Amino acid sequence: MSSSTPWLLLAATALALLTGRAAIAHTAWLEADPQGSGYIVRFGGHAGVLENYPAEKLREVTALDSRGQPLAITRDDRDSGVRLAPQGEPALMTLFFDNGYWSRLPNGRSENLPMDQLPGAVSAVRAVKHHKYIAHWDELASQAQGQPFELVPVSGGAPAAGETLTLQVLIDGQPAAGIALAFDGAGEDAVSDARGYATLTARPGVNRIWAGQRLPVADNPQFTELSIEYSLVFHALD
């Protein structure tokens, strides 16, 4: 169900080369469709601004029921965002969003191309996004889904607003230390410890928790940094 690629393995083996925690960045996440049933894939993050995106950047989507069984999904690609309609009641959904290569020119302008396709480019970021949406809390919520970069709640019980929530950060299934977590992609609300654990306090309503890292990449003609970001979304109990 997950995307497995060589450059994500690089992220696991080169964790010690982390040059710094990412600041506010673009992420992809699911929201309940306010105009009907189903879900909308959102993209954005800077100051809460939503942005349109090419639908083909949404590479993978899964939906599981409370027994962990996969549900079929009807996908509707629109300019305003991809709409998803699971065939059944999902307990948990995941997605993989490939934001591609972003190369920077000396004047500061960036283009959505690898360096070797943009003459004069001085650097480039390979940007990928992973996401998990917990629709209903149960044991499934505390089970890793095999995403290359993942936040996994330690407990399957739904947190209430004001209660602590402990998550484990996994990279290629292994605990990852020193990873920053933040609400809505801004700041640094927690950092994972040697076992990959980080604890935050659930906020009222919808919680969107970001985690990510950037790694330098050498001897690659297409990009000089790998950016991996994750968003976990759930609704805290009142």
Side-chain angles (χ1 to χ4, degrees):
M1 59 148 287
S2 63
S3 176
S4 179
T5 54
W7 42 264
L8 281 172
L9 293 176
L10 169 67
T13 59
L15 182 60
L17 299 177
L18 182 62
T19 56
R21 299 182 182 105
I24 300 174
H26 288 85
T27 54
W29 69 94
L30 287 161
E31 288 183 3
D33 190 338
Q35 298 180 348
S37 60
Y39 300 86
I40 303 175
V41 180
R42 300 294 195 188
F43 177 71
H46 290 289
V49 177
L50 299 177
E51 298 183 22
N52 292 339
Y53 55 88
E56 60 267 22
K57 288 190 173 185
L58 179 62
R59 296 293 183 86
E60 295 180 9
V61 180
T62 65
L64 302 176
D65 65 17
S66 59
R67 300 171 299 165
Q69 297 301 305
L71 300 173
I73 303 173
T74 300
R75 173 171 168 160
D76 180 12
D77 292 354
R78 306 183 190 180
D79 291 341
S80 58
V82 177
R83 264 65 174 177
L84 302 171
Q87 306 304 301
E89 189 68 28
L92 183 149
M93 297 179 68
T94 67
L95 65 79
F96 171 59
F97 189 98
D98 186 350
N99 202 30
Y101 303 88
W102 288 90
S103 296
R104 184 176 295 275
L105 293 166
N107 63 8
R109 192 178 88 249
S110 292
E111 297 285 348
N112 200 180
L113 293 168
M115 285 181 68
D116 57 1
Q117 295 182 27
L118 185 65
V122 295
S123 64
V125 176
R126 178 77 170 95
V128 296
K129 326 287 181 181
H130 297 277
H131 169 64
K132 181 187 298 177
Y133 181 96
I134 300 175
H136 299 290
W137 285 80
D138 53 27
E139 291 184 4
L140 184 65
S142 62
Q143 297 174 8
Q145 297 303 308
Q147 294 171 285
F149 192 110
E150 186 172 6
L151 298 182
V152 182
V154 171
S155 171
E163 290 184 346
T164 58
L165 171 68
T166 299
L167 304 170
Q168 187 174 36
V169 182
L170 301 178
I171 295 178
D172 286 327
Q174 301 301 311
I179 303 297
L181 287 76
F183 285 95
D184 302 321
E188 182 178 289
D189 295 296
V191 177
S192 60
D193 64 16
R195 296 184 298 163
Y197 292 120
T199 300
L200 306 95
T201 300
R203 296 179 175 182
V206 175
N207 286 243
R208 181 160 59 91
I209 299 173
W210 170 93
Q213 63 174 181
R214 283 200 178 197
L215 299 168
V217 176
D219 301 323
N220 190 304
Q222 295 185 311
F223 60 105
T224 57
E225 284 186 297
L226 172 64
S227 171
I228 308 173
E229 295 181 89
Y230 195 91
S231 63
L232 172 68
V233 172
F234 62 90
H235 192 286
L237 299 176
D238 296 331

